[in-house]
Amino acid sequence: MLMSNAPTIDHNNRMGNDYANTPIYTVVIHRNEDNIGFWAKCPMDNGCCFTDGDTIQETQRNMYESVSLYLQDDFPDVTDYFLNFVMADE
């Protein structure tokens, strides 16, 4: 039997206490009508964030920037968050 000094991860409690109150926002990514590029929508408290990009990864990066700017202006006490990206069924 192999033994390891590596810490074990409890996958049932991944968030632990450090992230228990961290907000999670769902982002829906859509393919553009012309099938070139993507756009995304993230419903937020009192609003919504939108962005686009040529690739899914670019769209995700752009959404992080969009959400950060939204939170910075309207909710400066929120300093950390998670984005849950899902693809739209179209």
Side-chain angles (χ1 to χ4, degrees):
M1 180 163 111
L2 294 174
M3 301 289 287
S4 172
N5 291 331
T8 58
I9 298 172
D10 179 0
H11 292 283
N12 295 320
N13 188 19
R14 289 182 298 192
M15 297 307 217
N17 293 331
D18 294 342
Y19 300 107
N21 295 320
T22 303
I24 302 171
Y25 301 105
T26 298
V27 177
V28 180
I29 298 176
H30 302 264
R31 185 176 294 281
N32 285 334
E33 289 181 11
D34 59 6
N35 286 328
I36 300 172
F38 300 87
W39 67 275
K41 176 181 179 179
C42 180
M44 306 289 288
D45 297 333
N46 300 322
C48 200
C49 291
F50 291 93
T51 194
D52 63 0
D54 293 334
T55 66
I56 292 173
Q57 288 178 335
E58 180 181 11
T59 305
Q60 290 173 322
R61 283 192 304 271
N62 292 345
M63 183 56 77
Y64 273 105
E65 181 178 359
S66 180
V67 170
S68 292
L69 291 171
Y70 174 87
L71 292 174
Q72 175 184 327
D73 290 343
D74 293 348
F75 299 93
D77 56 319
V78 177
T79 58
D80 207 1
Y81 60 89
F82 294 104
L83 294 182
N84 176 41
F85 291 98
V86 296
M87 290 299 295
D89 285 334
E90 300 174 321

Short mmCIF file of all heavy atoms in Angstrom, two decimals, residues 15 17-27 42-45 64 67-68 70-72 75-85:
data_model
loop_
_atom_site.label_atom_id
_atom_site.label_comp_id
_atom_site.label_asym_id
_atom_site.label_seq_id
_atom_site.Cartn_x
_atom_site.Cartn_y
_atom_site.Cartn_z
N MET A 15 -15.82 23.88 -0.43
CA MET A 15 -15.82 25.29 -0.12
C MET A 15 -15.26 25.57 1.26
O MET A 15 -14.68 26.61 1.48
CB MET A 15 -17.23 25.87 -0.22
CG MET A 15 -17.79 25.77 -1.61
SD MET A 15 -16.71 26.49 -2.79
CE MET A 15 -17.86 27.21 -3.88
N ASN A 17 -14.84 26.65 5.15
CA ASN A 17 -15.28 27.86 5.82
C ASN A 17 -14.81 29.12 5.10
O ASN A 17 -15.45 30.16 5.20
CB ASN A 17 -14.79 27.89 7.26
CG ASN A 17 -15.46 26.81 8.08
OD1 ASN A 17 -16.58 26.42 7.78
ND2 ASN A 17 -14.79 26.32 9.10
N ASP A 18 -13.69 29.06 4.39
CA ASP A 18 -13.13 30.25 3.75
C ASP A 18 -14.03 30.82 2.67
O ASP A 18 -14.05 32.03 2.45
CB ASP A 18 -11.75 29.95 3.16
CG ASP A 18 -10.72 29.64 4.22
OD1 ASP A 18 -10.96 29.98 5.40
OD2 ASP A 18 -9.69 29.06 3.87
N TYR A 19 -14.77 29.99 1.98
CA TYR A 19 -15.56 30.45 0.84
C TYR A 19 -17.06 30.26 1.05
O TYR A 19 -17.83 30.42 0.11
CB TYR A 19 -15.13 29.72 -0.43
CG TYR A 19 -13.68 29.94 -0.76
CD1 TYR A 19 -12.75 28.94 -0.58
CD2 TYR A 19 -13.25 31.17 -1.24
CE1 TYR A 19 -11.42 29.15 -0.88
CE2 TYR A 19 -11.93 31.38 -1.54
CZ TYR A 19 -11.01 30.36 -1.36
OH TYR A 19 -9.70 30.58 -1.65
N ALA A 20 -17.47 29.95 2.25
CA ALA A 20 -18.88 29.63 2.51
C ALA A 20 -19.82 30.76 2.13
O ALA A 20 -20.93 30.52 1.68
CB ALA A 20 -19.07 29.25 3.97
N ASN A 21 -19.40 32.00 2.28
CA ASN A 21 -20.27 33.14 1.99
C ASN A 21 -19.91 33.86 0.69
O ASN A 21 -20.39 34.96 0.45
CB ASN A 21 -20.23 34.14 3.15
CG ASN A 21 -20.80 33.54 4.40
OD1 ASN A 21 -21.80 32.82 4.35
ND2 ASN A 21 -20.19 33.81 5.53
N THR A 22 -19.07 33.24 -0.12
CA THR A 22 -18.67 33.84 -1.39
C THR A 22 -19.79 33.68 -2.40
O THR A 22 -20.26 32.58 -2.63
CB THR A 22 -17.38 33.18 -1.92
OG1 THR A 22 -16.37 33.29 -0.93
CG2 THR A 22 -16.91 33.84 -3.20
N PRO A 23 -20.25 34.78 -3.00
CA PRO A 23 -21.35 34.67 -3.97
C PRO A 23 -20.93 33.90 -5.23
O PRO A 23 -19.79 33.98 -5.67
CB PRO A 23 -21.71 36.11 -4.30
CG PRO A 23 -20.55 36.93 -3.87
CD PRO A 23 -19.82 36.16 -2.82
N ILE A 24 -21.89 33.17 -5.78
CA ILE A 24 -21.70 32.43 -7.02
C ILE A 24 -22.71 32.96 -8.02
O ILE A 24 -23.91 32.95 -7.76
CB ILE A 24 -21.90 30.91 -6.82
CG1 ILE A 24 -20.94 30.37 -5.77
CG2 ILE A 24 -21.75 30.18 -8.16
CD1 ILE A 24 -21.21 28.95 -5.37
N TYR A 25 -22.22 33.45 -9.15
CA TYR A 25 -23.08 33.99 -10.19
C TYR A 25 -23.03 33.06 -11.40
O TYR A 25 -21.97 32.60 -11.80
CB TYR A 25 -22.63 35.39 -10.61
CG TYR A 25 -22.61 36.37 -9.47
CD1 TYR A 25 -21.41 36.77 -8.90
CD2 TYR A 25 -23.80 36.89 -8.96
CE1 TYR A 25 -21.40 37.67 -7.84
CE2 TYR A 25 -23.79 37.79 -7.91
CZ TYR A 25 -22.58 38.17 -7.36
OH TYR A 25 -22.57 39.06 -6.31
N THR A 26 -24.20 32.78 -11.97
CA THR A 26 -24.27 31.91 -13.14
C THR A 26 -24.23 32.75 -14.41
O THR A 26 -24.96 33.73 -14.54
CB THR A 26 -25.55 31.07 -13.11
OG1 THR A 26 -25.52 30.23 -11.95
CG2 THR A 26 -25.67 30.20 -14.35
N VAL A 27 -23.37 32.35 -15.32
CA VAL A 27 -23.19 33.02 -16.61
C VAL A 27 -23.64 32.06 -17.70
O VAL A 27 -23.17 30.93 -17.77
CB VAL A 27 -21.72 33.40 -16.84
CG1 VAL A 27 -21.53 34.04 -18.20
CG2 VAL A 27 -21.20 34.29 -15.73
N CYS A 42 -25.04 37.54 -17.45
CA CYS A 42 -24.93 37.16 -16.05
C CYS A 42 -25.91 38.01 -15.24
O CYS A 42 -25.64 39.19 -14.98
CB CYS A 42 -23.51 37.35 -15.54
SG CYS A 42 -23.29 36.90 -13.81
N PRO A 43 -27.06 37.44 -14.84
CA PRO A 43 -27.98 38.19 -13.99
C PRO A 43 -27.32 38.52 -12.65
O PRO A 43 -26.68 37.67 -12.04
CB PRO A 43 -29.16 37.24 -13.79
CG PRO A 43 -29.03 36.23 -14.89
CD PRO A 43 -27.58 36.12 -15.18
N MET A 44 -27.48 39.76 -12.23
CA MET A 44 -26.87 40.24 -10.98
C MET A 44 -27.96 40.90 -10.14
O MET A 44 -29.05 41.17 -10.63
CB MET A 44 -25.77 41.27 -11.29
CG MET A 44 -24.70 40.82 -12.24
SD MET A 44 -23.60 39.59 -11.56
CE MET A 44 -22.68 40.58 -10.41
N ASP A 45 -27.64 41.18 -8.89
CA ASP A 45 -28.56 41.94 -8.05
C ASP A 45 -28.74 43.30 -8.68
O ASP A 45 -27.79 44.01 -8.97
CB ASP A 45 -27.99 42.10 -6.64
CG ASP A 45 -27.82 40.76 -5.93
OD1 ASP A 45 -28.57 39.82 -6.26
OD2 ASP A 45 -26.95 40.67 -5.06
N TYR A 64 -15.45 38.00 -16.48
CA TYR A 64 -14.81 38.30 -15.19
C TYR A 64 -14.57 39.80 -15.06
O TYR A 64 -14.81 40.39 -14.01
CB TYR A 64 -13.49 37.53 -15.03
CG TYR A 64 -13.68 36.16 -14.45
CD1 TYR A 64 -13.59 35.03 -15.24
CD2 TYR A 64 -13.93 35.99 -13.09
CE1 TYR A 64 -13.77 33.76 -14.70
CE2 TYR A 64 -14.11 34.73 -12.54
CZ TYR A 64 -14.03 33.61 -13.36
OH TYR A 64 -14.20 32.38 -12.82
N VAL A 67 -18.09 41.60 -14.57
CA VAL A 67 -18.62 41.40 -13.22
C VAL A 67 -17.80 42.19 -12.20
O VAL A 67 -18.35 42.83 -11.29
CB VAL A 67 -18.68 39.90 -12.85
CG1 VAL A 67 -18.99 39.70 -11.38
CG2 VAL A 67 -19.70 39.19 -13.72
N SER A 68 -16.49 42.18 -12.35
CA SER A 68 -15.64 42.94 -11.42
C SER A 68 -15.98 44.42 -11.45
O SER A 68 -16.07 45.06 -10.39
CB SER A 68 -14.16 42.75 -11.77
OG SER A 68 -13.76 41.43 -11.51
N TYR A 70 -18.84 45.79 -12.40
CA TYR A 70 -20.18 45.95 -11.85
C TYR A 70 -20.13 45.94 -10.32
O TYR A 70 -20.70 46.82 -9.67
CB TYR A 70 -21.09 44.84 -12.36
CG TYR A 70 -22.46 44.84 -11.74
CD1 TYR A 70 -23.49 45.61 -12.27
CD2 TYR A 70 -22.73 44.08 -10.61
CE1 TYR A 70 -24.75 45.61 -11.70
CE2 TYR A 70 -23.99 44.08 -10.02
CZ TYR A 70 -24.99 44.85 -10.58
OH TYR A 70 -26.23 44.86 -10.00
N LEU A 71 -19.44 44.96 -9.75
CA LEU A 71 -19.37 44.86 -8.30
C LEU A 71 -18.60 46.03 -7.70
O LEU A 71 -18.97 46.55 -6.64
CB LEU A 71 -18.72 43.53 -7.89
CG LEU A 71 -19.55 42.28 -8.21
CD1 LEU A 71 -18.74 41.02 -7.90
CD2 LEU A 71 -20.86 42.28 -7.44
N GLN A 72 -17.54 46.44 -8.36
CA GLN A 72 -16.73 47.56 -7.87
C GLN A 72 -17.57 48.82 -7.73
O GLN A 72 -17.46 49.56 -6.75
CB GLN A 72 -15.58 47.80 -8.84
CG GLN A 72 -14.72 49.01 -8.54
CD GLN A 72 -13.67 49.21 -9.63
OE1 GLN A 72 -13.18 48.25 -10.23
NE2 GLN A 72 -13.34 50.44 -9.90
N PHE A 75 -21.36 47.26 -5.57
CA PHE A 75 -21.23 46.44 -4.37
C PHE A 75 -19.75 46.34 -3.96
O PHE A 75 -19.15 45.27 -4.03
CB PHE A 75 -21.80 45.04 -4.60
CG PHE A 75 -23.26 45.04 -4.93
CD1 PHE A 75 -23.70 45.08 -6.24
CD2 PHE A 75 -24.21 45.03 -3.92
CE1 PHE A 75 -25.04 45.09 -6.55
CE2 PHE A 75 -25.56 45.04 -4.21
CZ PHE A 75 -25.98 45.07 -5.53
N PRO A 76 -19.14 47.44 -3.54
CA PRO A 76 -17.70 47.42 -3.25
C PRO A 76 -17.31 46.50 -2.09
O PRO A 76 -16.15 46.14 -1.98
CB PRO A 76 -17.39 48.89 -2.91
CG PRO A 76 -18.69 49.49 -2.55
CD PRO A 76 -19.74 48.74 -3.31
N ASP A 77 -18.27 46.09 -1.27
CA ASP A 77 -17.96 45.18 -0.17
C ASP A 77 -17.77 43.73 -0.65
O ASP A 77 -17.22 42.90 0.07
CB ASP A 77 -19.03 45.24 0.91
CG ASP A 77 -20.42 44.95 0.37
OD1 ASP A 77 -20.73 45.44 -0.74
OD2 ASP A 77 -21.20 44.26 1.05
N VAL A 78 -18.20 43.41 -1.88
CA VAL A 78 -17.98 42.08 -2.44
C VAL A 78 -16.61 42.08 -3.11
O VAL A 78 -16.42 42.67 -4.16
CB VAL A 78 -19.09 41.71 -3.46
CG1 VAL A 78 -18.80 40.34 -4.09
CG2 VAL A 78 -20.45 41.73 -2.81
N THR A 79 -15.66 41.42 -2.47
CA THR A 79 -14.29 41.43 -2.98
C THR A 79 -13.90 40.14 -3.68
O THR A 79 -12.87 40.07 -4.33
CB THR A 79 -13.30 41.70 -1.84
OG1 THR A 79 -13.47 40.69 -0.84
CG2 THR A 79 -13.54 43.08 -1.23
N ASP A 80 -14.71 39.10 -3.53
CA ASP A 80 -14.41 37.82 -4.16
C ASP A 80 -15.72 37.18 -4.60
O ASP A 80 -16.76 37.40 -3.98
CB ASP A 80 -13.66 36.91 -3.19
CG ASP A 80 -12.78 35.90 -3.89
OD1 ASP A 80 -12.72 35.90 -5.14
OD2 ASP A 80 -12.14 35.09 -3.20
N TYR A 81 -15.67 36.39 -5.65
CA TYR A 81 -16.87 35.74 -6.18
C TYR A 81 -16.46 34.59 -7.08
O TYR A 81 -15.31 34.47 -7.48
CB TYR A 81 -17.73 36.75 -6.96
CG TYR A 81 -17.00 37.36 -8.14
CD1 TYR A 81 -17.03 36.77 -9.39
CD2 TYR A 81 -16.26 38.53 -7.99
CE1 TYR A 81 -16.34 37.31 -10.45
CE2 TYR A 81 -15.58 39.09 -9.04
CZ TYR A 81 -15.62 38.47 -10.27
OH TYR A 81 -14.94 39.01 -11.32
N PHE A 82 -17.42 33.74 -7.37
CA PHE A 82 -17.24 32.65 -8.32
C PHE A 82 -18.18 32.87 -9.49
O PHE A 82 -19.29 33.38 -9.31
CB PHE A 82 -17.58 31.29 -7.69
CG PHE A 82 -16.66 30.88 -6.59
CD1 PHE A 82 -17.07 30.97 -5.27
CD2 PHE A 82 -15.40 30.39 -6.87
CE1 PHE A 82 -16.24 30.58 -4.25
CE2 PHE A 82 -14.56 30.00 -5.85
CZ PHE A 82 -14.97 30.09 -4.53
N LEU A 83 -17.75 32.47 -10.69
CA LEU A 83 -18.63 32.47 -11.84
C LEU A 83 -18.84 31.02 -12.28
O LEU A 83 -17.88 30.26 -12.43
CB LEU A 83 -18.04 33.28 -13.00
CG LEU A 83 -17.89 34.78 -12.77
CD1 LEU A 83 -17.34 35.46 -14.02
CD2 LEU A 83 -19.21 35.41 -12.36
N ASN A 84 -20.10 30.65 -12.46
CA ASN A 84 -20.47 29.32 -12.93
C ASN A 84 -20.90 29.47 -14.38
O ASN A 84 -21.96 30.01 -14.66
CB ASN A 84 -21.62 28.78 -12.06
CG ASN A 84 -22.11 27.45 -12.55
OD1 ASN A 84 -21.34 26.60 -12.94
ND2 ASN A 84 -23.43 27.29 -12.54
N PHE A 85 -20.06 29.02 -15.31
CA PHE A 85 -20.33 29.17 -16.74
C PHE A 85 -21.11 27.95 -17.26
O PHE A 85 -20.72 26.81 -17.00
CB PHE A 85 -19.03 29.29 -17.53
CG PHE A 85 -18.30 30.57 -17.26
CD1 PHE A 85 -17.25 30.62 -16.35
CD2 PHE A 85 -18.66 31.73 -17.92
CE1 PHE A 85 -16.57 31.80 -16.11
CE2 PHE A 85 -17.99 32.93 -17.68
CZ PHE A 85 -16.95 32.96 -16.78
#
